[in-house]
Coordinates of all heavy atoms in Angstrom, one line a residue:
M1 N -17.0 14.8 9.1 CA -16.5 14.5 7.8 C -15.0 14.3 7.8 O -14.2 15.2 8.1 CB -16.9 15.6 6.8 CG -16.5 15.4 5.4 SD -17.5 14.1 4.5 CE -16.6 14.0 3.0
Q2 N -14.5 13.1 7.4 CA -13.1 12.8 7.4 C -12.4 13.3 6.2 O -13.0 13.2 5.1 CB -12.9 11.3 7.6 CG -13.2 10.8 8.9 CD -12.7 9.3 9.0 OE1 -13.0 8.5 8.1 NE2 -12.1 9.0 10.1
T3 N -11.2 13.7 6.3 CA -10.5 14.0 5.1 C -10.1 12.6 4.4 O -10.2 11.6 5.0 CB -9.2 14.7 5.4 OG1 -8.3 13.9 6.1 CG2 -9.4 16.0 6.1
L4 N -9.7 12.7 3.2 CA -9.3 11.5 2.4 C -8.2 10.8 3.1 O -8.3 9.5 3.3 CB -8.9 11.9 1.0 CG -8.4 10.8 0.1 CD1 -9.5 9.7 -0.1 CD2 -7.9 11.3 -1.2
R5 N -7.2 11.5 3.6 CA -6.1 10.8 4.3 C -6.5 10.1 5.6 O -6.0 9.1 5.9 CB -5.0 11.8 4.5 CG -4.2 12.2 3.2 CD -3.3 13.3 3.4 NE -2.8 13.7 2.0 CZ -2.0 14.8 1.8 NH1 -1.6 15.5 2.8 NH2 -1.7 15.1 0.6
Q6 N -7.5 10.8 6.3 CA -8.0 10.1 7.5 C -8.7 8.9 7.1 O -8.7 7.9 7.8 CB -8.9 11.1 8.3 CG -8.1 12.2 9.0 CD -9.1 13.3 9.5 OE1 -10.2 13.4 9.0 NE2 -8.7 14.0 10.5
Q7 N -9.5 9.0 6.0 CA -10.3 7.9 5.6 C -9.4 6.7 5.2 O -9.7 5.5 5.6 CB -11.0 8.3 4.3 CG -12.5 7.8 4.2 CD -13.2 8.4 3.0 OE1 -12.9 9.6 2.7 NE2 -14.0 7.6 2.4
I8 N -8.3 7.0 4.5 CA -7.3 5.9 4.1 C -6.8 5.3 5.4 O -6.7 4.1 5.5 CB -6.2 6.5 3.3 CG1 -6.7 7.0 1.9 CG2 -5.1 5.5 3.1 CD1 -5.7 7.7 1.1
T9 N -6.4 6.1 6.4 CA -5.8 5.6 7.6 C -6.8 4.7 8.3 O -6.4 3.6 8.8 CB -5.5 6.8 8.6 OG1 -4.6 7.7 7.9 CG2 -4.7 6.3 9.8
T10 N -8.0 5.1 8.4 CA -9.1 4.3 9.1 C -9.2 2.9 8.4 O -9.3 1.9 9.1 CB -10.4 5.0 9.1 OG1 -10.2 6.3 9.7 CG2 -11.5 4.3 9.9
M11 N -9.2 3.0 7.1 CA -9.4 1.7 6.3 C -8.2 0.8 6.6 O -8.4 -0.4 6.7 CB -9.5 2.0 4.8 CG -10.8 2.6 4.5 SD -10.8 3.2 2.7 CE -10.7 1.6 1.9
L12 N -7.0 1.4 6.6 CA -5.8 0.5 6.8 C -5.6 0.0 8.2 O -4.9 -0.9 8.5 CB -4.6 1.3 6.3 CG -4.5 1.6 4.9 CD1 -3.3 2.4 4.5 CD2 -4.6 0.4 4.0
E13 N -6.3 0.7 9.2 CA -6.3 0.2 10.5 C -7.2 -1.1 10.7 O -6.9 -1.9 11.5 CB -6.9 1.3 11.5 CG -5.9 2.3 11.9 CD -6.5 3.5 12.6 OE1 -7.8 3.6 12.7 OE2 -5.8 4.4 13.1
Q14 N -8.2 -1.2 9.8 CA -9.1 -2.3 9.9 C -8.5 -3.6 9.3 O -8.5 -4.6 9.8 CB -10.4 -2.0 9.3 CG -11.2 -1.1 10.2 CD -12.3 -0.2 9.5 OE1 -12.5 -0.4 8.3 NE2 -12.8 0.7 10.2
R15 N -7.8 -3.4 8.1 CA -7.1 -4.5 7.5 C -6.2 -4.0 6.5 O -6.3 -2.9 5.9 CB -8.1 -5.5 6.9 CG -8.9 -5.0 5.7 CD -10.0 -6.0 5.4 NE -10.7 -5.5 4.2 CZ -10.6 -6.0 3.0 NH1 -9.8 -6.9 2.7 NH2 -11.4 -5.5 2.0
P16 N -5.1 -4.8 6.2 CA -4.2 -4.4 5.2 C -4.8 -4.4 3.8 O -5.6 -5.3 3.5 CB -3.1 -5.4 5.2 CG -3.4 -6.4 6.3 CD -4.8 -6.1 6.8
L17 N -4.5 -3.3 3.0 CA -5.1 -3.2 1.7 C -4.0 -2.9 0.7 O -3.1 -2.2 1.0 CB -6.2 -2.2 1.6 CG -7.4 -2.4 2.5 CD1 -8.3 -1.1 2.6 CD2 -8.3 -3.5 1.9
D18 N -4.2 -3.3 -0.5 CA -3.2 -2.9 -1.6 C -3.8 -1.7 -2.3 O -5.0 -1.3 -2.1 CB -2.7 -4.0 -2.4 CG -3.8 -4.6 -3.3 OD1 -4.9 -4.0 -3.4 OD2 -3.6 -5.7 -3.9
L19 N -3.1 -1.2 -3.3 CA -3.5 0.0 -4.0 C -4.8 -0.2 -4.8 O -5.6 0.6 -4.8 CB -2.3 0.4 -4.9 CG -2.2 1.8 -5.3 CD1 -2.1 2.7 -4.1 CD2 -1.0 2.0 -6.3
R20 N -4.9 -1.4 -5.3 CA -6.1 -1.7 -6.1 C -7.3 -1.7 -5.3 O -8.4 -1.2 -5.6 CB -5.9 -3.1 -6.9 CG -7.0 -3.4 -7.9 CD -6.8 -4.7 -8.5 NE -6.6 -5.8 -7.5 CZ -7.6 -6.3 -6.8 NH1 -8.8 -6.0 -7.0 NH2 -7.3 -7.3 -5.9
Q21 N -7.2 -2.3 -4.1 CA -8.3 -2.4 -3.2 C -8.7 -1.0 -2.7 O -9.9 -0.7 -2.6 CB -8.0 -3.3 -2.0 CG -7.8 -4.8 -2.4 CD -7.2 -5.6 -1.3 OE1 -6.3 -5.2 -0.6 NE2 -7.7 -6.8 -1.1
L22 N -7.7 -0.2 -2.4 CA -8.0 1.1 -1.9 C -8.6 2.0 -3.0 O -9.6 2.7 -2.8 CB -6.7 1.8 -1.5 CG -6.2 1.6 -0.1 CD1 -4.8 2.2 0.0 CD2 -7.1 2.2 0.9
S23 N -8.2 1.8 -4.2 CA -8.7 2.5 -5.3 C -10.1 2.2 -5.6 O -11.0 3.0 -5.9 CB -7.7 2.3 -6.5 OG -8.4 1.9 -7.7
E24 N -10.4 0.9 -5.5 CA -11.8 0.5 -5.7 C -12.7 1.0 -4.6 O -13.8 1.5 -4.9 CB -11.9 -1.1 -5.8 CG -11.6 -1.6 -7.1 CD -11.4 -3.1 -7.1 OE1 -11.7 -3.8 -6.1 OE2 -10.9 -3.7 -8.1
A25 N -12.3 0.9 -3.4 CA -13.1 1.3 -2.2 C -13.3 2.8 -2.2 O -14.4 3.3 -1.8 CB -12.4 0.9 -0.9
L26 N -12.4 3.6 -2.7 CA -12.5 5.1 -2.6 C -12.9 5.7 -3.9 O -13.1 6.9 -4.0 CB -11.2 5.7 -2.1 CG -10.8 5.3 -0.7 CD1 -9.3 5.6 -0.4 CD2 -11.7 6.0 0.4
G27 N -12.9 4.9 -5.0 CA -13.2 5.5 -6.3 C -12.2 6.5 -6.8 O -12.5 7.5 -7.5
L28 N -10.9 6.2 -6.4 CA -9.8 7.1 -6.9 C -8.8 6.3 -7.7 O -8.7 5.1 -7.6 CB -9.1 7.7 -5.7 CG -9.7 8.8 -4.9 CD1 -8.9 9.0 -3.6 CD2 -9.8 10.0 -5.7
R29 N -8.1 7.0 -8.6 CA -7.1 6.4 -9.4 C -5.9 6.0 -8.6 O -5.6 6.7 -7.6 CB -6.7 7.3 -10.6 CG -7.9 7.6 -11.4 CD -7.5 7.9 -12.8 NE -6.1 8.4 -12.9 CZ -5.6 9.2 -13.8 NH1 -6.4 9.7 -14.7 NH2 -4.4 9.6 -13.8
E30 N -5.3 4.9 -8.9 CA -4.2 4.4 -8.1 C -3.1 5.4 -8.1 O -2.4 5.6 -7.1 CB -3.6 3.1 -8.7 CG -4.7 2.0 -8.6 CD -4.1 0.6 -9.0 OE1 -2.9 0.5 -9.3 OE2 -4.9 -0.3 -9.1
K31 N -2.8 6.1 -9.2 CA -1.8 7.1 -9.3 C -2.0 8.2 -8.3 O -1.1 8.8 -7.6 CB -1.8 7.7 -10.7 CG -0.8 7.1 -11.6 CD -0.3 8.2 -12.6 CE 0.8 7.6 -13.5 NZ 0.5 7.1 -14.7
E32 N -3.3 8.6 -8.2 CA -3.7 9.7 -7.3 C -3.5 9.3 -5.8 O -3.0 10.0 -5.0 CB -5.1 10.1 -7.5 CG -5.5 11.4 -6.8 CD -7.0 11.8 -7.0 OE1 -7.6 11.3 -8.0 OE2 -7.5 12.5 -6.2
L33 N -3.9 8.0 -5.5 CA -3.7 7.5 -4.2 C -2.3 7.5 -3.8 O -1.9 7.7 -2.6 CB -4.3 6.1 -4.1 CG -5.8 6.0 -3.8 CD1 -6.3 4.6 -4.0 CD2 -6.0 6.4 -2.3
L34 N -1.4 7.1 -4.7 CA 0.0 7.0 -4.4 C 0.6 8.3 -3.9 O 1.5 8.3 -3.2 CB 0.8 6.6 -5.6 CG 1.1 5.1 -5.8 CD1 1.8 4.8 -7.1 CD2 1.8 4.5 -4.6
T35 N 0.0 9.4 -4.3 CA 0.5 10.7 -3.9 C 0.1 11.0 -2.4 O 0.8 11.8 -1.7 CB 0.0 11.9 -4.8 OG1 -1.4 12.0 -4.6 CG2 0.3 11.7 -6.2
H36 N -0.9 10.3 -2.0 CA -1.4 10.5 -0.6 C -0.7 9.6 0.4 O -0.5 10.0 1.6 CB -2.9 10.3 -0.5 CG -3.7 11.3 -1.2 ND1 -3.8 12.6 -0.7 CD2 -4.4 11.2 -2.3 CE1 -4.6 13.2 -1.6 NE2 -5.0 12.4 -2.6
L37 N -0.3 8.4 0.0 CA 0.3 7.4 0.9 C 1.5 7.9 1.7 O 1.5 7.6 2.9 CB 0.6 6.1 0.1 CG -0.7 5.3 -0.3 CD1 -0.2 4.0 -1.0 CD2 -1.6 5.1 0.8
P38 N 2.5 8.6 1.1 CA 3.6 9.0 1.9 C 3.1 10.0 3.1 O 3.7 9.9 4.2 CB 4.5 9.8 1.0 CG 4.1 9.3 -0.4 CD 2.6 8.9 -0.3
H39 N 2.1 10.8 2.8 CA 1.6 11.7 3.8 C 0.9 10.9 4.9 O 1.0 11.2 6.1 CB 0.6 12.7 3.2 CG 1.3 13.6 2.2 ND1 2.0 14.7 2.5 CD2 1.3 13.4 0.8 CE1 2.5 15.2 1.4 NE2 2.1 14.5 0.4
V40 N 0.1 9.9 4.5 CA -0.6 9.0 5.5 C 0.5 8.4 6.4 O 0.4 8.4 7.6 CB -1.4 8.0 4.8 CG1 -2.0 7.0 5.8 CG2 -2.6 8.6 4.0
A41 N 1.5 7.8 5.7 CA 2.6 7.1 6.5 C 3.3 8.1 7.5 O 3.5 7.7 8.6 CB 3.7 6.6 5.5
R42 N 3.5 9.3 7.1 CA 4.2 10.3 7.9 C 3.3 10.7 9.1 O 3.7 10.8 10.2 CB 4.5 11.5 7.1 CG 5.9 12.1 7.5 CD 6.4 13.1 6.6 NE 6.3 12.7 5.2 CZ 6.1 13.5 4.2 NH1 5.9 14.8 4.3 NH2 6.1 13.1 2.9
S43 N 2.0 10.8 8.8 CA 1.1 11.3 9.9 C 0.8 10.1 10.9 O 0.7 10.3 12.1 CB -0.2 11.9 9.4 OG -1.0 10.9 8.9
V44 N 0.9 8.9 10.4 CA 0.8 7.7 11.3 C 2.0 7.7 12.2 O 1.9 7.5 13.5 CB 0.7 6.4 10.5 CG1 0.9 5.2 11.4 CG2 -0.7 6.3 9.8
A45 N 3.2 7.9 11.7 CA 4.4 7.9 12.5 C 4.4 9.1 13.5 O 4.8 8.9 14.6 CB 5.6 8.0 11.6
A46 N 3.8 10.2 13.1 CA 3.8 11.3 14.0 C 2.9 11.1 15.2 O 3.0 11.6 16.3 CB 3.3 12.6 13.2
R47 N 1.9 10.2 15.0 CA 1.0 9.9 16.1 C 1.5 8.6 16.8 O 0.7 8.0 17.6 CB -0.5 9.6 15.6 CG -1.2 10.9 15.1 CD -2.6 10.6 14.7 NE -2.7 9.7 13.5 CZ -3.1 8.5 13.5 NH1 -3.4 7.8 14.6 NH2 -3.2 7.8 12.3
K48 N 2.7 8.2 16.6 CA 3.3 7.1 17.2 C 2.6 5.8 16.8 O 2.7 4.8 17.6 CB 3.4 7.2 18.7 CG 4.0 8.5 19.2 CD 5.4 8.3 19.8 CE 6.0 9.6 20.3 NZ 6.7 10.3 19.2
G49 N 1.9 5.7 15.7 CA 1.4 4.5 15.2 C 2.4 3.8 14.4 O 3.5 4.3 14.2
R50 N 2.0 2.7 13.8 CA 3.0 1.9 13.0 C 2.5 1.8 11.6 O 1.4 1.3 11.4 CB 3.3 0.6 13.6 CG 4.7 0.0 13.3 CD 5.2 -0.8 14.4 NE 4.3 -1.9 14.7 CZ 4.4 -3.1 14.0 NH1 5.3 -3.3 13.1 NH2 3.6 -4.1 14.3
W51 N 3.3 2.2 10.7 CA 3.0 2.1 9.2 C 3.8 0.9 8.7 O 5.0 0.8 8.8 CB 3.4 3.4 8.5 CG 3.4 3.2 7.0 CD1 4.5 3.0 6.3 CD2 2.3 3.4 6.1 NE1 4.1 3.0 4.9 CE2 2.8 3.2 4.8 CE3 0.9 3.7 6.3 CZ2 2.0 3.3 3.7 CZ3 0.1 3.8 5.2 CH2 0.6 3.6 3.9
T52 N 3.1 -0.1 8.2 CA 3.7 -1.3 7.7 C 3.4 -1.5 6.2 O 2.3 -1.3 5.8 CB 3.3 -2.5 8.5 OG1 3.4 -2.2 9.9 CG2 4.1 -3.7 8.2
V53 N 4.4 -1.9 5.5 CA 4.2 -2.3 4.1 C 4.5 -3.8 4.0 O 5.7 -4.2 4.2 CB 5.0 -1.5 3.1 CG1 4.8 -1.9 1.7 CG2 4.7 0.0 3.3
V54 N 3.5 -4.6 3.6 CA 3.7 -6.0 3.4 C 4.2 -6.2 2.0 O 3.5 -5.7 1.1 CB 2.4 -6.8 3.7 CG1 2.7 -8.3 3.5 CG2 1.9 -6.5 5.1
P55 N 5.4 -6.8 1.8 CA 5.9 -6.8 0.4 C 5.0 -7.4 -0.6 O 4.2 -8.3 -0.3 CB 7.2 -7.6 0.6 CG 7.5 -7.7 2.0 CD 6.2 -7.5 2.7
A56 N 5.1 -6.9 -1.8 CA 4.4 -7.4 -3.0 C 4.9 -8.8 -3.3 O 6.0 -9.2 -3.0 CB 4.5 -6.5 -4.2
E57 N 4.0 -9.6 -4.0 CA 4.4 -10.9 -4.4 C 4.0 -11.2 -5.8 O 3.0 -10.7 -6.3 CB 3.5 -11.9 -3.5 CG 4.3 -12.6 -2.4 CD 3.3 -13.5 -1.6 OE1 2.5 -14.2 -2.3 OE2 3.4 -13.4 -0.4
C58 N 4.8 -12.0 -6.5 CA 4.5 -12.4 -7.8 C 3.5 -13.6 -7.8 O 3.8 -14.5 -7.1 CB 5.8 -12.8 -8.6 SG 5.5 -13.5 -10.2
I59 N 2.4 -13.4 -8.5 CA 1.4 -14.5 -8.5 C 2.0 -15.7 -9.3 O 1.7 -16.9 -9.0 CB 0.1 -14.0 -9.2 CG1 -0.5 -12.9 -8.3 CG2 -0.9 -15.1 -9.3 CD1 -1.7 -12.2 -8.9
G60 N 2.8 -15.4 -10.3 CA 3.4 -16.5 -11.1 C 4.3 -17.4 -10.4 O 4.2 -18.6 -10.5
C61 N 5.3 -16.9 -9.7 CA 6.3 -17.7 -9.1 C 6.5 -17.6 -7.6 O 7.3 -18.3 -7.0 CB 7.7 -17.5 -9.8 SG 8.4 -15.9 -9.4
G62 N 5.8 -16.7 -7.0 CA 5.8 -16.5 -5.6 C 7.0 -15.6 -5.1 O 7.2 -15.5 -3.9
Y63 N 7.7 -15.0 -6.0 CA 8.8 -14.1 -5.7 C 8.3 -13.0 -4.8 O 7.2 -12.4 -5.1 CB 9.4 -13.5 -6.9 CG 10.5 -12.5 -6.7 CD1 11.8 -13.0 -6.4 CD2 10.3 -11.2 -6.7 CE1 12.8 -12.1 -6.2 CE2 11.3 -10.3 -6.4 CZ 12.6 -10.7 -6.2 OH 13.6 -9.8 -5.9
T64 N 9.0 -12.6 -3.7 CA 8.6 -11.6 -2.8 C 9.5 -10.4 -3.0 O 10.7 -10.6 -2.9 CB 8.6 -12.1 -1.3 OG1 7.9 -13.3 -1.3 CG2 8.0 -11.1 -0.4
F65 N 9.0 -9.2 -3.1 CA 9.7 -8.0 -3.3 C 10.2 -7.4 -2.0 O 9.7 -6.3 -1.7 CB 8.9 -7.0 -4.2 CG 8.6 -7.5 -5.6 CD1 7.6 -8.4 -5.8 CD2 9.4 -7.0 -6.6 CE1 7.4 -8.8 -7.1 CE2 9.1 -7.4 -7.9 CZ 8.1 -8.3 -8.2
R66 N 11.0 -8.1 -1.3 CA 11.3 -7.7 0.1 C 12.2 -6.4 0.2 O 12.0 -5.6 1.1 CB 12.1 -8.8 0.8 CG 11.3 -9.9 1.2 CD 12.0 -10.9 2.1 NE 11.3 -12.1 2.2 CZ 10.1 -12.2 2.8 NH1 9.6 -11.2 3.5 NH2 9.5 -13.4 2.8
D67 N 13.0 -6.2 -0.8 CA 13.9 -5.1 -0.6 C 13.4 -3.8 -1.2 O 14.1 -2.8 -1.3 CB 15.3 -5.4 -1.3 CG 15.9 -6.6 -0.6 OD1 15.8 -6.7 0.6 OD2 16.6 -7.4 -1.3
R68 N 12.2 -3.8 -1.7 CA 11.6 -2.7 -2.4 C 11.3 -1.6 -1.4 O 10.6 -1.9 -0.4 CB 10.4 -3.1 -3.2 CG 10.0 -2.0 -4.1 CD 8.8 -2.5 -4.9 NE 8.1 -1.5 -5.7 CZ 8.5 -1.1 -6.9 NH1 9.5 -1.7 -7.4 NH2 7.9 -0.1 -7.5
R69 N 11.8 -0.4 -1.6 CA 11.5 0.7 -0.7 C 10.3 1.5 -1.1 O 9.7 2.2 -0.3 CB 12.7 1.6 -0.6 CG 13.9 1.0 0.1 CD 13.8 1.3 1.6 NE 14.7 0.5 2.4 CZ 15.9 0.8 2.6 NH1 16.5 1.8 2.0 NH2 16.7 0.0 3.3
R70 N 10.1 1.6 -2.4 CA 9.0 2.5 -2.9 C 7.7 1.9 -2.6 O 7.5 0.7 -2.4 CB 9.2 2.6 -4.4 CG 10.3 3.6 -4.7 CD 10.8 3.4 -6.1 NE 9.7 3.4 -7.1 CZ 9.8 3.2 -8.4 NH1 11.0 2.9 -8.8 NH2 8.8 3.2 -9.2
L71 N 6.7 2.8 -2.4 CA 5.3 2.4 -2.1 C 4.6 1.9 -3.2 O 3.6 1.2 -3.1 CB 4.6 3.6 -1.5 CG 5.1 4.1 -0.1 CD1 4.3 5.4 0.3 CD2 4.8 3.0 1.0
S72 N 5.0 2.3 -4.4 CA 4.2 1.9 -5.6 C 4.4 0.4 -5.9 O 5.5 -0.2 -5.6 CB 4.6 2.7 -6.8 OG 6.0 2.5 -7.0
P73 N 3.4 -0.3 -6.5 CA 3.6 -1.7 -6.8 C 4.6 -1.9 -7.9 O 4.6 -1.1 -8.8 CB 2.2 -2.1 -7.2 CG 1.3 -0.9 -7.0 CD 2.1 0.3 -6.8
P74 N 5.4 -3.0 -7.8 CA 6.3 -3.3 -8.9 C 5.5 -3.7 -10.1 O 4.4 -4.2 -10.0 CB 7.1 -4.4 -8.4 CG 6.4 -4.9 -7.2 CD 5.4 -3.9 -6.7
T75 N 6.0 -3.5 -11.3 CA 5.2 -3.9 -12.5 C 5.6 -5.2 -13.1 O 4.8 -5.8 -13.8 CB 5.4 -2.8 -13.6 OG1 6.8 -2.5 -13.8 CG2 4.7 -1.5 -13.2
R76 N 6.8 -5.7 -12.7 CA 7.3 -6.9 -13.4 C 8.2 -7.7 -12.5 O 8.9 -7.1 -11.7 CB 8.1 -6.4 -14.6 CG 8.3 -7.4 -15.7 CD 8.7 -6.6 -16.9 NE 8.6 -7.5 -18.1 CZ 9.6 -8.1 -18.7 NH1 10.9 -7.9 -18.3 NH2 9.4 -8.8 -19.8
C77 N 8.0 -9.0 -12.5 CA 8.8 -9.9 -11.7 C 10.2 -10.1 -12.3 O 10.4 -10.4 -13.4 CB 8.1 -11.2 -11.5 SG 9.1 -12.4 -10.6
P78 N 11.3 -9.8 -11.5 CA 12.6 -10.0 -12.0 C 13.0 -11.5 -12.2 O 13.9 -11.8 -12.9 CB 13.5 -9.4 -10.9 CG 12.7 -9.5 -9.6 CD 11.3 -9.4 -10.1
R79 N 12.3 -12.4 -11.6 CA 12.6 -13.8 -11.7 C 11.9 -14.5 -12.9 O 12.6 -15.1 -13.7 CB 12.2 -14.5 -10.4 CG 12.9 -15.9 -10.3 CD 13.0 -16.3 -8.9 NE 11.8 -16.8 -8.3 CZ 11.6 -17.2 -7.1 NH1 12.6 -17.2 -6.2 NH2 10.4 -17.6 -6.6
C80 N 10.6 -14.3 -13.0 CA 9.9 -15.0 -14.1 C 9.4 -14.1 -15.1 O 8.8 -14.5 -16.1 CB 8.7 -15.9 -13.5 SG 7.3 -14.9 -13.0
K81 N 9.6 -12.8 -15.0 CA 9.2 -11.7 -15.9 C 7.7 -11.5 -16.1 O 7.3 -10.9 -17.1 CB 9.9 -12.0 -17.3 CG 11.3 -12.4 -17.3 CD 12.2 -11.2 -16.8 CE 13.7 -11.6 -16.8 NZ 14.4 -10.8 -15.9
A82 N 7.0 -12.2 -15.3 CA 5.5 -12.0 -15.4 C 5.1 -10.7 -14.8 O 5.9 -10.1 -14.0 CB 4.8 -13.1 -14.6
S83 N 4.0 -10.2 -15.2 CA 3.5 -8.9 -14.6 C 2.3 -9.1 -13.8 O 1.5 -8.1 -13.5 CB 3.3 -7.9 -15.8 OG 2.4 -8.5 -16.7
R84 N 2.0 -10.3 -13.4 CA 0.9 -10.5 -12.5 C 1.4 -10.5 -11.0 O 1.9 -11.5 -10.5 CB 0.2 -11.9 -12.7 CG -0.5 -11.9 -14.1 CD -1.2 -13.2 -14.2 NE -0.3 -14.3 -14.1 CZ -0.6 -15.5 -13.6 NH1 -1.8 -15.7 -13.2 NH2 0.3 -16.5 -13.5
I85 N 1.3 -9.3 -10.5 CA 1.9 -9.1 -9.1 C 0.8 -8.5 -8.2 O 0.0 -7.7 -8.6 CB 3.0 -8.1 -9.2 CG1 4.2 -8.8 -9.9 CG2 3.4 -7.5 -7.9 CD1 5.2 -7.9 -10.6
H86 N 0.7 -9.0 -7.0 CA -0.3 -8.4 -6.1 C 0.4 -7.8 -4.9 O 1.5 -8.2 -4.6 CB -1.5 -9.3 -5.7 CG -1.1 -10.6 -5.1 ND1 -2.0 -11.5 -4.7 CD2 0.1 -11.2 -4.8 CE1 -1.4 -12.6 -4.2 NE2 -0.1 -12.4 -4.3
G87 N -0.2 -6.9 -4.3 CA 0.4 -6.1 -3.2 C 1.3 -5.0 -3.8 O 1.2 -4.8 -5.0
P88 N 2.1 -4.3 -3.0 CA 2.2 -4.5 -1.6 C 0.9 -4.0 -0.9 O 0.1 -3.3 -1.4 CB 3.4 -3.5 -1.3 CG 3.3 -2.5 -2.3 CD 2.9 -3.2 -3.6
W89 N 0.8 -4.5 0.4 CA -0.3 -4.2 1.2 C 0.2 -3.2 2.3 O 1.2 -3.3 2.8 CB -0.9 -5.4 1.9 CG -1.5 -6.4 0.9 CD1 -2.8 -6.4 0.5 CD2 -0.8 -7.4 0.2 NE1 -2.9 -7.4 -0.5 CE2 -1.7 -8.1 -0.7 CE3 0.5 -7.9 0.2 CZ2 -1.4 -9.1 -1.5 CZ3 0.8 -9.0 -0.7 CH2 -0.1 -9.6 -1.5
Y90 N -0.7 -2.2 2.5 CA -0.3 -1.2 3.5 C -1.2 -1.4 4.7 O -2.3 -1.8 4.6 CB -0.6 0.2 2.9 CG -0.1 0.4 1.5 CD1 -1.0 0.4 0.4 CD2 1.3 0.5 1.2 CE1 -0.6 0.4 -0.9 CE2 1.7 0.6 -0.1 CZ 0.8 0.6 -1.1 OH 1.2 0.6 -2.4
Q91 N -0.5 -1.2 5.8 CA -1.2 -1.4 7.1 C -0.9 -0.4 8.1 O 0.3 0.1 8.2 CB -0.8 -2.8 7.6 CG -1.6 -3.3 8.7 CD -1.2 -4.8 9.1 OE1 -0.2 -5.3 8.7 NE2 -2.1 -5.5 9.8
V92 N -1.9 -0.1 8.9 CA -1.6 0.9 10.0 C -2.0 0.3 11.3 O -3.1 -0.2 11.5 CB -2.5 2.2 9.8 CG1 -2.4 3.1 11.0 CG2 -2.1 2.9 8.5
A93 N -1.1 0.3 12.3 CA -1.4 -0.1 13.6 C -1.3 1.1 14.5 O -0.2 1.6 14.7 CB -0.4 -1.2 14.1
S94 N -2.4 1.5 15.0 CA -2.4 2.7 15.9 C -2.2 2.3 17.3 O -2.7 1.3 17.8 CB -3.7 3.5 15.7 OG -3.8 4.0 14.4
K95 N -1.5 3.2 18.0 CA -1.3 2.9 19.4 C -2.5 3.5 20.2 O -2.8 4.7 20.0 CB 0.0 3.7 19.8 CG 0.8 2.9 20.8 CD 2.1 3.7 21.1 CE 2.9 3.1 22.2 NZ 4.1 3.9 22.4
S96 N -3.1 2.7 21.0 CA -4.3 3.2 21.7 C -3.9 3.7 23.1 O -2.9 3.3 23.6 CB -5.4 2.2 21.7 OG -4.9 1.0 22.1
Ligands
ZN101 ZN1 7.6 -14.2 -10.8

């Protein structure tokens, strides 16, 4: 039986997922998942794996949130002011 954080890690090793996809797959609220992600990132780093965040993108104008440090998805696009944003996607590359 895997812990939730192990489960998240395994899923992100298979393919990059955003918060919405993780929340649907695990049946957890996005807010709750966000509290686990920093721990997942840290334990991946501790195992010498690579934690990657693929920047979020605005669906309206294609703006990429490259400089964003926080793990949570942005709510609004600074360029076109739309709130249709997908990502960021989280990814784990484990060293075998
Ligand atoms: Zn935009």
Side-chain angles (χ1 to χ4, degrees):
M1 183 70 185
Q2 287 189 313
T3 67
L4 177 62
R5 286 172 192 174
Q6 286 170 337
Q7 220 175 325
I8 295 172
T9 307
T10 306
M11 288 172 68
L12 296 179
E13 277 170 351
Q14 284 154 12
R15 66 189 179 105
L17 295 168
D18 67 12
L19 205 55
R20 190 181 50 79
Q21 294 168 319
L22 276 173
S23 128
E24 279 169 10
L26 294 164
L28 285 170
R29 300 209 333 213
E30 296 187 7
K31 267 211 171 96
E32 194 183 336
L33 271 169
L34 266 179
T35 66
H36 293 289
L37 290 182
H39 299 277
V40 172
R42 221 171 305 150
S43 72
V44 167
R47 290 185 291 108
K48 311 249 181 274
R50 205 149 59 88
W51 167 264
T52 311
V53 179
V54 180
E57 257 178 44
C58 172
I59 296 171
C61 72
Y63 178 83
T64 310
F65 295 78
R66 286 194 194 286
D67 298 327
R68 193 178 169 85
R69 288 273 166 80
R70 283 161 49 188
L71 290 174
S72 59
T75 49
R76 204 161 192 256
C77 175
R79 196 155 77 182
C80 74
K81 314 293 180 206
S83 54
R84 290 185 306 147
I85 288 156
H86 58 178
W89 295 268
Y90 316 105
Q91 191 174 18
V92 172
S94 291
K95 217 175 175 183
S96 46

